[in-house]
Amino acid sequence: MFQLQRIEIGAVRVSGNLAVVDTVMFAHLTKPLDSDGKLVVQQYLIREDGAWRVATGDNATINNFLKNNPSFGKKFPIKKPQAFINQDGKWIPVPLGR
């Protein structure tokens, strides 16, 4: 359905063993259409055994993370992901599912 081309890492905000990172993921989409796309999303990370691990991925994972780290969630509320496809050199917003 898609081939990940690259990930851009933006602002990183750290509080102890927790962090939130702005990312932009670029991919070539093959279904439902043949186009380039990008996903603008924040990632929560947890430092475990000296290594950072992504703690987000789906709503259940995010909700569990926020339940276990309420003060971090209040300090760094996660933004809704945004998706775009490239049409004629312009990034056009695409609605995401739930």
Side-chain angles (χ1 to χ4, degrees), residues 13-31:
R13 292 164 301 279
V14 179
S15 179
N17 288 325
L18 305 174
V20 63
V21 179
D22 295 333
T23 62
V24 181
M25 293 176 265
F26 294 87
H28 183 77
L29 310 170
T30 56
K31 289 183 182 178

Side-chain angles (χ1 to χ4, degrees), residues 61-73:
T61 304
I62 293 169
N63 291 338
N64 189 43
F65 178 89
L66 294 174
K67 179 182 170 189
N68 292 324
N69 304 283
S71 62
F72 185 83

Side-chain angles (χ1 to χ4, degrees), residues 28-46:
H28 183 77
L29 310 170
T30 56
K31 289 183 182 178
L33 54 119
D34 186 22
S35 180
D36 289 327
K38 73 177 179 178
L39 182 63
V40 179
V41 65
Q42 288 182 312
Q43 304 286 341
Y44 283 145
L45 292 92
I46 299 175

Side-chain angles (χ1 to χ4, degrees), residues 66-83:
L66 294 174
K67 179 182 170 189
N68 292 324
N69 304 283
S71 62
F72 185 83
K74 288 177 186 169
K75 187 175 180 181
F76 301 109
I78 201 158
K79 297 175 189 170
K80 286 184 144 187
Q82 296 176 295

